[in-house]
Amino acid sequence: MADMHALVALMRDLEDQLATCMRCGMCQAVCPLYAQTGREADVARGKLALLDGLLQDMFDQPDSVAERLNKCLLCGSCQANCPSGVRVIDIFLKARAILAGFTDLPAAQKIILRGLLARPALFDRVAHWSARFQKLLTRPANDLLGTSCARIQSPLIGRRHFKPLAAEPFHRSAHAHRHTPAGRTGITVAFFVGCLIDKIYPQVARAVSDVCDHLEVGLFIPESQGCCGIPALSAGDTATFQHLVRHNLDQINKAPFDYLVTACATCTATIREMWPLMLHDAPRDLRTQAAALAEKTLDISQFLIDQSILIPTGTESVTRPNPVPVSYHDPCHLKKTLGIASQPRDVLRATGGYRLVEMRAPDQCCGMGGSFNLKYYGISSQIGQRKRESIRDAGCRVVATSCPACMLQITDALSQADDPVEVKHVIELYAESLK
Amino acid sequence: MLSNATITALGEIVGRDNVFTEKADRLTYSYDAAVLDAQVPAAVVRPLSSTALGRTVAFCNSNGIPLTVRGAGTNLSGGTIPQADGVVLLTNGLSRILEINTQDMYAIVQPGVVTATLSAAVEAKGLFYPPDPGSQAVSTLGGNVAENAGGLRGLKYGVTADYVMGLQFYDAGGELIKTGSRTVKCATGYNLKALMIGSEGTLGVLDEIILKLIPMPATRKSLLAVFDGMDKASETVAAIIAQHIVPATLEFLDNFTIRAVESFSHVGLPMEAAAILLIEVDGHSAQVADESEKIEKICRQMGAMSIRVAEDDAQRDRIWTARRSALSALAKLKPTVVLEDATVPRSKIPAMVAALQAIARKFDLPIGTFGHAGDGNLHPTILTDKRDKVEWQRVEAAIAAIFEEALALGGTLSGEHGTGLAKAGFLAKETGMGAILLSRRIKHALDPNNILNPGKVIGG
């Protein structure tokens, strides 16, 4: 354990941000975790009060603060609804970094984060071998959703219905590492694939590639892409985070492009918001590059609509007599962090054969929260259950979203309930409609 | 600190998982929304049944443990700040709507039901629960009753007290007491429910609340009128009331607040305006049309610079965005926000607003004022940074000056936030010592061991 006063000195960095919370408690209305537990330590106000307690040196148990701070989906619902505009997520990530420095990462997380994520090539190799062997450990559960559940009940898998790793990750496919010229649009995009899409949903990456080809957008897919860094940041591991940003920037900046697009809400939010924010102690060149890239990073739907690549029709372009009802789930990192909600819906409306039906509270968190799901599976799936009920009540046959992590969580909830609803990425549906 | 035996006993009553004793957890129940010093309680309990609630109260009484009941902790006067040697009792495990009776138009709720949850549930059945405190998205009905919470609709529809038909509460000894009924009229016994309403957890612990519901108004219409002088705006308020029109809401924003709202949310408010009135009438469509026309005419006669009438729901929402974002727009300017609720007879609003401006100048503090012009309930909002000790002394002096001024104008220290800790020291100035001494005798009779939220309202 490091010196408490050194910790306090580091926490001073956060003082001005923490002082803006007026303890009004309005975050209780929107926190998906608090809705389940009703405990103040689970909601932003309680966590900010705990950090404040550490800061004022009134409270001397950084471990117990860290434990409560880490029990958070980082969905940003509180920040989006905060009357005082407290930058809750910035505070939490900075505080996690500071606290992790003292309490050290748990050994297992250290191995995964430092050893695997920080070295993309090794991560890919491990994932590759896992994909080959996973059939021995799992059995098919739901054919429609393509999930598997644990053949052998392992403590890690529990009762999850998880999507298996793809037999062939995107980066090994024929579509990867493309560099096509800008066509009619005159625009070239670089495509940041992201771990989950690469390894679990490569078809989403193929869809991005197909859509760019169809709409004559030049596509550059950088080689040897790494993780965007959010798992490392969530664990407070800023060294790994910085390493990943540097690696990715080196790869991405190898060719000129107009925009960086992703099909993962979390990657988009991380690159746009966290890359510039969380590099405060990094070398100047890295900060400058990250800030410049953040400016031109867009979600795929946002890119298509805002750059007028796709012209929204306002109403569904119905191409068959019985359009399939599709509902859209707003990923927290897209709507609450970046304010992107209309563009994915516009893409869906431009997708032939579907009819958009809104679910109840489409922007209610699905409960995934990345590593939160691993640590607090029980609460995570209770939150997922609420999302599943909204989807069921919407009467849709397909639920679309813009984030592979949300897709995993929603698939888990629907599969366990045996609901006949497909889970798709918006861009997948659009790409399919082109065929 | 509480002994292990005490903790074990509490665990037996409410279940071991519902007693929080770790310091980190206790720290998160040490504050509410008032700008006051936090106080970490000795334990926190979360009963999940009425029986467990009553037994907790009885246990605390027989062991002399101070007990502070907490709903959402949104209190603005410090009423939910606990004692260091005391227990915080959470009501959010008692959050069921027990009945909504559409025939007899009442609802029965447990104390932990969130205000907005009940409003939505009764609205789904075509009924209306009017009290709408600013924190209604999270505040609990138990807290609303204990504080006699108000809201934007006070002028026409009254406050929480006007909707409490009956109560069931535990007295300090843990006996279940019934008062009032589910009938429109009830003339039996002492009116104990009136004593409980606004008692801030010092006289008993609420267990069930019977609330009056009314029919949902058929239509509503909103207007926004801009004035170049505060006097013109308040004369308009007086003229509207003089014409015997009672709007559902009649709100105003001063120039400081207008500028804060406009630079924050860009809803198209004129930055140079001295005051804005936001008015909504509701009821039968013919009445609404007639009244909104009359109000528009009055505003014009009184010299409004411009009047905007909402033609549809979207325009109505835009008008109310200005009012709804008032507090958050002000809150974003400085780290600490002191939200007061001194209330004056409505004819004294121009005098009060002028006094507030003078106070802001005298103590060199930014004060934005908005609030319920129709019922004289203003929200002077002092913007500061509590870490600045020198400025904080001026803030405390300004608060005292606001209280003095409100009382001098025949008003009250608090229209809707309650006395709590924040105003306990000033109460004698409003009521005189006689009322406080009588209140203390009542308190002693009902709570002889002084365990129920000690120190609040009447000090001691």
Side-chain angles (χ1 to χ4, degrees):
Chain A
M1 173 69 63
D3 175 24
M4 262 311 293
H5 289 274
L7 174 60
V8 169
L10 281 168
M11 298 290 284
R12 297 274 173 222
D13 278 354
L14 293 179
E15 183 173 359
D16 279 340
Q17 282 187 293
L18 280 172
T20 56
C21 171
M22 56 178 180
R23 305 279 186 268
C24 68
M26 295 309 284
C27 41
Q28 294 171 98
V30 293
C31 175
L33 179 57
Y34 182 79
Q36 296 299 324
T37 67
R39 293 176 74 126
E40 180 91 9
D42 289 336
V43 77
R45 177 173 68 167
K47 291 177 161 70
L48 294 168
L50 283 168
L51 288 172
D52 213 30
L54 270 186
L55 178 78
Q56 305 303 334
D57 214 359
M58 294 188 316
F59 186 66
D60 52 4
Q61 298 168 8
D63 290 350
S64 62
V65 174
E67 184 194 331
R68 284 159 182 79
L69 193 64
N70 290 338
K71 190 180 173 192
C72 172
L73 290 151
L74 295 176
C75 69
S77 300
C78 46
Q79 180 169 313
N81 287 278
C82 178
S84 310
V86 178
R87 302 288 299 170
V88 183
I89 302 302
D90 302 0
I91 295 173
F92 286 178
L93 289 176
K94 282 182 188 166
R96 283 182 182 202
I98 293 164
L99 287 167
F102 282 81
T103 49
D104 280 321
L105 293 169
Q109 274 189 28
K110 238 190 301 194
I111 292 166
I112 294 171
L113 289 170
R114 292 230 164 94
L116 295 181
L117 299 183
R119 273 174 289 165
L122 180 59
F123 187 25
D124 287 343
R125 222 163 31 240
V126 171
H128 175 67
W129 285 104
S130 310
R132 291 173 140 205
F133 286 109
Q134 67 185 352
K135 284 205 180 68
L136 298 173
L137 299 168
T138 58
R139 62 184 161 79
N142 178 321
D143 287 342
L144 181 64
L145 293 163
T147 55
S148 297
C149 62
R151 186 187 289 266
I152 300 161
Q153 283 296 322
S154 85
L156 178 68
I157 297 173
R159 54 190 169 80
R160 290 176 179 81
H161 282 211
F162 65 92
K163 291 283 292 184
L165 290 164
E168 184 185 59
F170 182 72
H171 74 272
R172 282 175 177 256
S173 73
H175 297 262
H177 319 309
R178 300 184 59 204
H179 198 161
T180 56
R184 176 179 53 84
T185 59
I187 296 176
T188 296
V189 297
F191 176 36
F192 186 82
V193 181
C195 304
L196 291 182
I197 289 179
D198 181 55
K199 291 161 185 66
I200 296 177
Y201 295 111
Q203 68 273 27
V204 173
R206 278 198 295 278
V208 171
S209 165
D210 291 348
V211 169
C212 286
D213 288 352
H214 178 81
L215 297 171
E216 299 192 39
V217 173
L219 183 64
F220 156 53
I221 305 180
E223 284 184 37
S224 182
Q225 298 187 22
C227 165
C228 71
I230 192 70
L233 264 191
S234 304
D237 185 353
T238 46
T240 302
F241 172 73
Q242 244 181 61
H243 182 88
L244 285 165
V245 173
R246 167 80 71 191
H247 170 86
N248 284 321
L249 278 171
D250 288 349
Q251 300 304 316
I252 293 166
N253 287 332
K254 278 187 175 157
F257 56 89
D258 299 299
Y259 300 99
L260 179 76
V261 299
T262 92
C264 172
T266 303
C267 293
T268 312
T270 304
I271 298 172
R272 274 198 78 95
E273 299 275 309
M274 296 305 151
W275 281 21
L277 186 82
M278 297 300 295
L279 292 171
H280 40 89
D281 56 346
R284 193 184 174 80
D285 71 303
L286 191 63
R287 278 183 290 154
T288 317
Q289 283 182 46
L293 184 69
E295 288 277 304
K296 47 183 190 175
T297 300
L298 304 175
D299 161 72
I300 181 70
S301 298
Q302 179 193 21
F303 164 71
L304 293 176
I305 300 298
D306 291 359
Q307 300 309 316
S308 304
I309 309 290
L310 261 185
I311 308 296
T313 52
T315 52
E316 284 85 355
S317 54
V318 179
T319 54
R320 56 178 157 177
N322 294 311
V324 175
V326 59
S327 200
Y328 179 72
H329 160 72
D330 285 290
C332 294
H333 291 155
L334 216 49
K335 180 163 184 209
K336 287 160 193 149
T337 311
L338 301 171
I340 298 165
S342 65
Q343 297 93 327
R345 288 175 171 81
D346 285 339
V347 173
L348 284 176
R349 288 194 190 96
T351 301
Y354 291 93
R355 177 171 56 88
L356 182 62
V357 291
E358 292 289 351
M359 67 179 80
R360 188 173 58 242
D363 63 351
Q364 198 166 60
C365 179
C366 68
M368 178 67 182
S371 51
F372 180 88
N373 174 277
L374 293 175
K375 275 185 275 185
Y376 303 101
Y377 183 66
I379 301 173
S380 173
S381 52
Q382 280 166 21
I383 300 169
Q385 195 52 35
R386 289 197 345 193
K387 180 54 69 179
R388 181 236 147 198
E389 284 160 14
S390 310
I391 293 169
R392 182 197 57 200
D393 296 348
C396 56
R397 291 235 312 272
V398 179
V399 59
T401 188
S402 304
C403 179
C406 299
M407 287 169 73
L408 273 179
Q409 170 81 346
I410 292 171
T411 301
D412 184 12
L414 292 173
S415 175
Q416 293 204 25
D418 223 358
D419 287 335
V421 180
E422 275 189 279
V423 182
K424 293 275 189 175
H425 194 289
V426 169
I427 204 68
E428 262 186 286
L429 291 179
Y430 184 70
E432 284 168 13
S433 78
L434 300 175
K435 284 173 185 160
Chain B
M1 279 307 288
L2 297 177
S3 69
N4 286 340
T6 303
I7 300 293
T8 309
L10 285 169
E12 279 164 10
I13 295 171
V14 299
R16 221 169 359 162
D17 289 349
N18 295 309
V19 183
F20 311 153
T21 53
E22 279 189 50
K23 192 173 175 194
D25 288 325
R26 289 185 283 118
L27 189 141
T28 63
Y29 297 101
S30 63
Y31 50 79
D32 59 20
V35 188
L36 294 168
D37 291 338
Q39 189 71 258
V40 182
V44 180
V45 296
R46 186 171 182 252
L48 300 179
S49 71
S50 169
T51 315
L53 176 70
R55 287 180 61 200
T56 306
V57 179
F59 177 84
C60 287
N61 187 49
S62 42
N63 291 278
I65 301 168
L67 185 69
T68 298
V69 182
R70 181 185 179 95
T74 53
N75 195 303
L76 286 160
S77 55
T80 25
I81 296 178
Q83 301 263 309
D85 56 349
V87 164
V88 167
L89 190 157
L90 302 179
T91 60
N92 68 6
L94 300 161
S95 57
R96 278 184 305 134
I97 297 175
L98 302 171
E99 183 184 356
I100 295 177
N101 191 314
T102 53
Q103 255 186 332
D104 295 326
M105 296 206 291
Y106 66 79
I108 304 182
V109 299
Q110 290 191 306
V113 172
V114 169
T115 315
T117 305
L118 178 73
S119 302
V122 303
E123 204 170 308
K125 299 192 175 207
L127 292 171
F128 186 33
Y129 176 70
D132 60 342
S135 55
Q136 60 175 328
V138 297
S139 71
T140 63
L141 289 161
N144 291 170
V145 173
E147 297 292 325
N148 192 11
L152 270 60
R153 302 189 182 115
L155 174 58
K156 179 171 179 177
Y157 292 106
V159 296
T160 305
D162 299 308
Y163 294 85
V164 181
M165 298 170 79
L167 292 174
Q168 193 164 287
F169 67 92
Y170 287 101
D171 72 4
E175 286 294 322
L176 191 60
I177 311 292
K178 286 185 180 176
T179 165
S181 87
R182 59 198 73 193
T183 54
V184 172
K185 295 172 173 175
C186 175
T188 45
Y190 285 161
N191 191 351
L192 297 178
K193 77 174 162 67
L195 189 59
M196 289 298 294
I197 296 165
S199 65
E200 305 190 14
T202 62
L203 300 178
V205 177
L206 299 176
D207 176 52
E208 276 181 28
I209 306 162
I210 308 173
L211 292 166
K212 179 171 79 179
L213 306 175
I214 62 174
M216 195 64 171
T219 48
R220 49 182 114 201
K221 193 152 197 174
S222 299
L223 304 89
L224 182 150
V226 179
F227 295 88
D228 59 7
M230 189 59 223
D231 280 11
K232 286 181 189 169
S234 30
E235 281 160 17
T236 305
V237 173
I240 291 169
I241 309 277
Q243 293 252 345
H244 297 179
I245 300 169
V246 185
T249 41
L250 213 178
E251 299 285 305
F252 97 104
L253 309 179
D254 75 350
N255 173 265
F256 190 96
T257 312
I258 292 166
R259 281 185 286 136
V261 168
E262 188 50 31
S263 46
F264 164 64
S265 57
H266 308 292
V267 285
L269 303 180
M271 302 280 257
E272 71 286 357
I276 282 176
L277 289 180
L278 301 119
I279 308 163
E280 182 164 286
V281 285
D282 66 3
H284 185 275
S285 59
Q287 180 201 352
V288 166
D290 180 52
E291 288 186 343
S292 62
E293 207 172 293
K294 279 185 185 158
I295 290 174
E296 207 181 324
K297 207 166 127 197
I298 295 169
C299 290
R300 242 179 263 292
Q301 282 167 354
M302 291 299 175
M305 294 160 67
S306 69
I307 299 164
R308 216 192 287 167
V309 184
E311 297 301 336
D312 54 36
D313 280 357
Q315 289 183 10
R316 175 176 175 268
D317 282 351
R318 264 200 296 282
I319 285 184
W320 288 101
T321 302
R323 170 62 181 87
R324 271 196 300 268
S325 56
L327 181 59
S328 50
L330 290 171
K332 287 184 174 76
L333 299 176
K334 286 286 196 102
T336 311
V337 177
V338 181
L339 179 65
E340 286 301 334
D341 68 327
T343 302
V344 293
R346 60 187 154 224
S347 62
K348 297 290 196 287
I349 284 185
M352 189 65 194
V353 171
L356 289 169
Q357 285 165 349
I359 289 168
R361 277 193 304 274
K362 181 177 174 192
F363 296 99
D364 189 21
L365 292 167
I367 302 182
T369 301
F370 62 94
H372 321 307
D375 49 34
N377 181 189
L378 304 180
H379 288 305
T381 305
I382 307 175
L383 308 176
T384 179
D385 185 339
K386 213 185 167 186
R387 295 168 295 178
D388 182 341
K389 300 277 182 264
V390 179
E391 186 172 277
W392 186 251
Q393 285 179 353
R394 297 207 306 278
V395 172
E396 290 189 321
I399 293 170
I402 291 171
F403 290 164
E404 292 280 349
E405 200 61 48
L407 295 179
L409 292 169
T412 173
L413 302 176
S414 171
E416 57 187 5
H417 296 168
T419 313
L421 290 172
K423 299 185 180 86
F426 296 92
L427 189 59
K429 288 191 176 174
E430 177 173 337
T431 65
M433 262 329 271
I436 292 179
L437 292 174
L438 176 68
S439 302
R440 284 185 185 160
R441 288 199 296 277
I442 294 172
K443 164 83 169 160
H444 185 71
L446 296 186
D447 179 20
N449 298 330
N450 196 28
I451 62 144
L452 296 174
N453 213 10
K456 310 294 158 40
V457 190
I458 49 171

